[in-house]
Amino acid sequence: MMQHIDFLQDNYTIQPYRKKGVSYSNVIYTFDIESTSLFDFGDHVGVFDPSIPNNSYLMPDLTPVRGYDQIPKLVCPYIGMFSVEDMVYYFRDMRDLEKVLTKIHNKDMTKIIYVHNLAFEMAFYRWLWIKYPITDIVARKSRQPIQFYVPYFNVIFRCSLRLTELSLARAAEQYTDIKKKSGDLDYDKPRHPNTYLTDTELGYCEYDCLTLYKVIDHFRYEYGSVKRIPLTQTGEVRRAYAAIVPKDHVYKMQRLVPSVQEFKMLYDAFQGGLTHSNILHTNKLITVPVLSEDECSAYPAVMAYEKYPCERFSFINPAHIKNYDPKEYAFIFDVTFKNINSKFYNHYIPRHKCRILTNEVIDNGRVASAGELQITLTDVDLDLIMRAYTYDSIRYNKVMVARKGYLPKYFIEFMLELYGNKTKYKNVPGMEDIYMKSKQLLNSLFGCSCTNIVRSTVTYEHGKWHEGALTDKIIRTKRAEQRQSKSLLFAYSTGVYVTAFNRARLFEKILTFKGLDEDVVYYDTDSLKIMNGEKYLDLFKLADIEVDRRIKLMCDTLGIDYELTRPKDPKGIEHPLGHWETDAIYDGGFITLGAKRYAYKKDGQIDITISGVGKGNEIDGYARDALEDDLNNFNEKLVFDYEHAHKLEHSYIEGQKPFIFKDLDGVPYKCDWPDGVNLKPTTYSMSLDEKYRALIDAYIEKTYEDVNVIER
């Protein structure tokens, strides 16, 4: 059972890790707090009330209703937990974290404290970071710290969420033999530092720190010390890859660091995965079976057999484009189209990447047509657009070229080893660690390749976040750092092309498979969901043959064993890299309302995928229950209520004034805590944008009635 921090002992004698004259403790420290989110209802302060509407609105008689957007938000932390190895201590006076840090302070030994979602706890202790300023902050953006250092106490705070990219419960399942407790602490009850906590509730609080300790202990064992644990999930694969690259690899990568103007072109050309719904079938319930085809390890596949820029880009006169063989050179184009119109129902050009866009027709974030459109594209994207759209003219404003080739042999072999382990050891007793590690590293490879080497500056001073603009000066400074970096493993241009090749792999099926433009219902990164799927199975087999041909060519060119690209699972079934596999057949209906919003019934069970809505679980309830087992209820009028949305709205509070509230036992308390994060349950509406709805209706009018589709 937990002990009070008055009994905290920090006398472990584990051998420290020393680097560059600095000693780092190899003891695992963890920290966590629990808090109550509150609301000032005027006549009282209380916890969330689901009977109050999410937003303010006017009644039919014009009487204003005060919704949560007008109700002041408050927060009160009520217990803190701090562990030293597997011993957990607690404090109820929340300012005692200062006392804890004082107790463990050692001017000759830097100590690392792990917090699962450091952004949350950091926000509550803004006053502490003002009193004891922090330095060396690592953050991708404001309010999202990965690590920071507190010089006064000689401690480093690290975010374990960024290391695992999993909830604490999921991380416990993957890395430990214990299970995080759930359901033992009702977050809907108001609590404060004087609230009595039961042994069950204290056990829940204790287990959060114990669980995190076990997770970090797994990594400490793997990397030999706490200090050597990578900061992020991609950091793990970087370290594994760095261990096998030849000595001249970093030098080669340094030579590929782009100039300021090259970087800006590459940055503008970068796009993510292709995710969209076919406008013909959006907001319609499809009653025939829908086939879901998935590409096997899509990103590793294109990283294996496609060719990438292998030198710095050079700007050329657009008139000289024809002098460069597209089989040998990669291109980045800044182009302007006039009167561009899609020839297909599925639209490719992302609106948010267009710098000039006039008289546009937008299909859920994708451009269907425009009077004028300026955008920066890879040659891969431009080829797709020229096949998918008509246009009156195209002007090449800027053009860059670079010779291309396969990625290094040692990289591809490293990737194939991970793919092989992931395939061979799935569900094999005794090989769980190798399987999970290989799967994690393989999934992280793409993230490493597309990491932006130049980011805007993020700082934290005097309790305030500052995020500087991405200026030429910053790009120039970061570029100089990269040119001298001894740990540079990937070229930024590689990531730009990995996503481009993967988008092409998906979208070219729509352009080339006759009828697929009408029959595809939804697609996302490496998956196609198709009506009348039986018509296309042979075509997918032909696509697999082409992938095999290209992979064989790569293997022959680089001298790689072709069999490494087609490992067998424990049942002896071969899984060739990049092949299409049938993931599922939705036999009870399928409906989509746009990107990342769809529902289906399979084997009599409804399931949903909605960005912004959690799926739920046995304890909290499932979001799909909001459909009441009827896909017809998945429509633009559907609103996932507080119970089914499983969505929390974060409100950062700074300079909170003292207030009084009563806990679940009716005990009053004056909270004078100044900062924190209010977590408010919120709803999620499936409504459609008016322009998008009008466009859907327009396409319905243009197409013939299909007996496979029920129109609303």
Side-chain angles (χ1 to χ4, degrees):
M1 196 67 182
M2 286 193 297
Q3 296 187 40
H4 192 268
I5 58 150
D6 288 345
F7 300 98
L8 187 152
Q9 296 185 24
D10 183 23
N11 53 9
Y12 284 86
T13 57
I14 301 175
Q15 181 69 30
Y17 174 79
R18 291 182 173 84
K19 184 176 182 180
K20 296 181 179 180
V22 179
S23 292
Y24 296 90
S25 173
N26 210 17
V27 174
I28 295 173
Y29 302 89
T30 75
F31 174 55
D32 184 33
I33 69 169
E34 298 292 348
S35 64
T36 298
S37 294
L38 298 156
F39 305 87
D40 186 352
F41 296 108
D43 58 342
H44 74 287
V45 170
V47 293
F48 176 78
D49 182 351
S51 67
I52 295 176
N54 195 39
N55 300 308
S56 60
Y57 61 93
L58 295 178
M59 296 289 285
D61 62 358
L62 300 184
T63 302
V65 174
R66 194 180 188 209
Y68 273 103
D69 60 346
Q70 293 184 349
I71 296 175
K73 299 173 180 62
L74 305 167
V75 68
C76 180
Y78 58 85
I79 186 171
M81 291 75 65
F82 190 91
S83 77
V84 183
E85 288 291 298
D86 59 353
M87 185 62 220
V88 184
Y89 303 89
Y90 74 93
F91 51 89
R92 301 300 300 275
D93 181 344
M94 299 305 294
R95 288 175 173 79
D96 278 351
L97 176 60
E98 183 177 7
K99 183 187 295 185
V100 170
L101 297 179
T102 301
K103 279 194 169 190
I104 70 167
H105 173 240
N106 184 331
K107 64 182 179 64
D108 299 319
M109 182 87 68
T110 303
K111 300 178 178 181
I112 299 173
I113 303 168
Y114 273 95
V115 184
H116 207 71
N117 192 8
L118 180 57
F120 185 79
E121 272 74 9
M122 181 183 182
F124 278 87
Y125 282 93
R126 179 171 166 266
W127 65 269
L128 190 64
W129 318 135
I130 293 175
K131 185 175 181 180
Y132 304 105
I134 65 179
T135 64
D136 303 325
I137 190 162
V138 179
R140 291 169 178 161
K141 57 184 179 179
S142 294
R143 300 192 185 280
Q144 296 298 318
I146 298 174
Q147 174 178 281
F148 61 82
Y149 176 58
V150 190
Y152 185 87
F153 296 110
N154 194 23
V155 296
I156 294 171
F157 280 84
R158 277 188 182 177
C159 183
S160 52
L161 179 60
R162 297 284 74 87
L163 169 64
T164 65
E165 295 297 343
L166 297 169
S167 68
L168 187 54
R170 290 288 304 280
E173 290 176 7
Q174 180 163 321
Y175 297 111
T176 78
D177 56 0
I178 66 173
K179 184 177 181 180
K180 180 187 180 297
K181 293 185 177 182
S182 60
D184 288 344
L185 188 68
D186 188 345
Y187 284 96
D188 294 332
K189 303 294 185 182
R191 298 181 178 85
H192 52 60
N194 293 339
T195 299
Y196 172 75
L197 297 177
T198 67
D199 288 346
T200 299
E201 291 168 336
L202 287 170
Y204 176 94
C205 297
E206 178 186 28
Y207 241 69
D208 273 4
C209 276
L210 280 178
T211 301
L212 182 54
Y213 157 72
K214 283 286 191 177
V215 170
I216 302 304
D217 189 37
H218 166 90
F219 287 99
R220 177 175 61 179
Y221 176 79
E222 180 177 352
Y223 289 99
S225 75
V226 176
K227 176 62 175 68
R228 296 191 72 249
I229 298 173
L231 294 185
T232 64
Q233 191 177 70
T234 56
E236 282 206 89
V237 72
R238 287 176 187 279
R239 185 167 297 179
Y241 181 46
I244 62 98
V245 300
K247 293 181 179 180
D248 65 343
H249 176 79
V250 171
Y251 173 67
K252 291 178 180 177
M253 294 302 103
Q254 289 173 340
R255 288 188 300 171
L256 291 177
V257 174
S259 68
V260 173
Q261 295 307 314
E262 287 174 66
F263 172 79
K264 290 165 79 171
M265 285 274 283
L266 287 166
Y267 182 82
D268 288 342
F270 178 81
Q271 299 179 36
L274 184 62
T275 304
H276 208 53
S277 66
N278 188 336
I279 197 166
L280 284 184
H281 306 305
T282 301
N283 199 28
K284 305 178 185 73
L285 178 58
I286 299 169
T287 58
V288 298
V290 171
L291 172 72
S292 180
E293 283 285 314
D294 286 5
E295 185 183 359
C296 186
S297 294
Y299 284 128
V302 294
M303 295 177 85
Y305 68 74
E306 294 286 4
K307 293 184 177 181
Y308 293 82
C310 56
E311 64 181 11
R312 284 267 306 275
F313 278 89
S314 301
F315 285 90
I316 64 168
N317 188 321
H320 298 158
I321 293 174
K322 59 182 180 296
N323 297 335
Y324 294 85
D325 184 352
K327 294 181 180 180
E328 301 294 331
Y329 288 87
F331 296 79
I332 302 291
F333 300 102
D334 180 322
V335 296
T336 301
F337 292 98
K338 288 291 182 69
N339 295 324
I340 184 168
N341 291 274
S342 177
K343 297 186 290 185
F344 292 81
Y345 297 119
N346 295 279
H347 307 123
Y348 186 80
I349 302 173
R351 177 184 190 175
H352 75 281
K353 298 299 291 187
C354 300
R355 290 192 304 284
I356 294 177
L357 195 61
T358 65
N359 299 323
E360 68 272 20
V361 174
I362 303 299
D363 168 14
N364 197 212
R366 300 270 161 185
V367 179
S369 64
E372 184 177 9
L373 185 157
Q374 184 180 358
I375 189 171
T376 301
L377 303 163
T378 67
D379 51 306
V380 179
D381 294 301
L382 182 60
D383 175 67
L384 290 172
I385 291 171
M386 296 176 91
R387 293 162 59 190
Y389 290 77
T390 63
Y391 45 89
D392 286 352
S393 65
I394 177 173
R395 183 176 71 247
Y396 296 91
N397 306 309
K398 297 177 184 177
V399 182
M400 297 195 310
V401 299
R403 193 177 296 277
K404 62 185 181 182
Y406 292 118
L407 293 177
K409 176 182 179 181
Y410 46 84
F411 170 80
I412 296 175
E413 289 181 329
F414 171 72
M415 182 173 64
L416 292 177
E417 180 182 2
L418 297 176
Y419 179 62
N421 290 342
K422 172 192 168 186
T423 305
K424 291 184 294 185
Y425 299 133
K426 186 175 183 179
N427 299 323
V428 176
M431 304 302 291
E432 294 88 354
D433 287 348
I434 294 179
Y435 166 75
M436 289 305 304
K437 179 59 64 178
S438 297
K439 179 180 178 181
Q440 178 184 330
L441 295 182
L442 185 67
N443 292 341
S444 299
L445 269 179
F446 159 68
C448 289
S449 71
C450 73
T451 299
N452 183 1
I453 60 173
V454 180
R455 292 183 178 274
S456 57
T457 55
V458 178
T459 58
Y460 185 85
E461 298 175 344
H462 310 296
K464 294 290 185 182
W465 287 94
H466 304 278
E467 191 165 348
L470 189 60
T471 63
D472 285 3
K473 181 179 179 181
I474 290 175
I475 297 173
R476 197 173 294 111
T477 300
K478 296 291 186 180
R479 178 182 185 273
E481 293 174 0
Q482 292 294 316
R483 293 278 289 179
Q484 299 299 319
S485 173
K486 302 299 183 183
S487 58
L488 189 61
L489 296 173
F490 297 90
Y492 180 56
S493 58
T494 298
V496 173
Y497 272 84
V498 169
T499 57
F501 284 131
N502 199 61
R503 288 190 301 274
R505 183 90 200 279
L506 201 66
F507 202 71
E508 69 181 4
K509 303 295 181 294
I510 296 171
L511 300 184
T512 58
F513 288 7
K514 185 178 180 181
L516 191 58
D517 183 41
E518 292 84 2
D519 284 340
V520 69
V521 178
Y522 185 87
Y523 40 96
D524 185 351
T525 309
D526 60 357
S527 174
L528 288 165
K529 305 189 188 305
I530 311 163
M531 293 167 45
N532 306 315
E534 67 281 354
K535 291 167 36 180
Y536 303 99
L537 293 177
D538 288 342
L539 294 173
F540 280 110
K541 290 179 181 178
L542 290 175
D544 290 342
I545 292 173
E546 173 61 14
V547 167
D548 289 343
R549 184 192 69 80
R550 299 185 67 178
I551 287 181
K552 184 68 164 57
L553 177 61
M554 176 276 296
C555 289
D556 290 344
T557 303
L558 299 182
I560 293 175
D561 183 359
Y562 178 62
E563 293 303 313
L564 294 176
T565 70
R566 41 209 319 113
K568 295 179 181 178
D569 65 21
K571 296 180 180 180
I573 300 173
E574 198 172 65
H575 293 270
L577 182 67
H579 273 211
W580 290 89
E581 298 179 344
T582 298
D583 172 62
I585 297 177
Y586 308 130
D587 53 7
F590 184 96
I591 182 169
T592 177
L593 292 181
K596 300 292 185 182
R597 303 205 303 177
Y598 63 86
Y600 58 86
K601 180 177 280 190
K602 176 189 172 188
D603 300 329
Q605 176 69 61
I606 282 180
D607 204 354
I608 64 171
T609 294
I610 305 172
S611 178
V613 173
K615 288 183 178 290
N617 53 53
E618 293 180 0
I619 295 175
D620 300 324
Y622 292 97
R624 64 175 183 246
D625 294 341
L627 301 184
E628 299 177 342
D629 200 33
D630 188 350
L631 285 178
N632 282 289
N633 292 327
F634 192 86
N635 58 55
E636 57 184 308
K637 295 179 181 179
L638 175 64
V639 176
F640 286 88
D641 57 20
Y642 299 118
E643 179 184 357
H644 294 102
H646 302 295
K647 181 178 175 64
L648 294 174
E649 179 183 284
H650 292 58
S651 297
Y652 288 89
I653 297 171
E654 295 180 355
Q656 178 176 257
K657 294 181 180 179
F659 62 92
I660 296 174
F661 76 102
K662 294 181 179 180
D663 68 5
L664 70 169
D665 298 318
V667 178
Y669 178 78
K670 183 178 181 179
C671 178
D672 60 356
W673 194 259
D675 310 301
V677 183
N678 176 285
L679 302 176
K680 181 186 76 66
T682 187
T683 58
Y684 184 90
S685 172
M686 296 298 296
S687 62
L688 297 173
D689 176 81
E690 288 186 11
K691 290 184 178 180
Y692 185 38
R693 186 66 174 86
L695 188 63
I696 293 171
D697 292 341
Y699 272 83
I700 290 175
E701 293 177 6
K702 288 196 300 183
T703 57
Y704 57 85
E705 182 176 355
D706 189 332
V707 295
N708 295 329
V709 171
I710 298 175
E711 296 182 1
R712 301 194 181 283

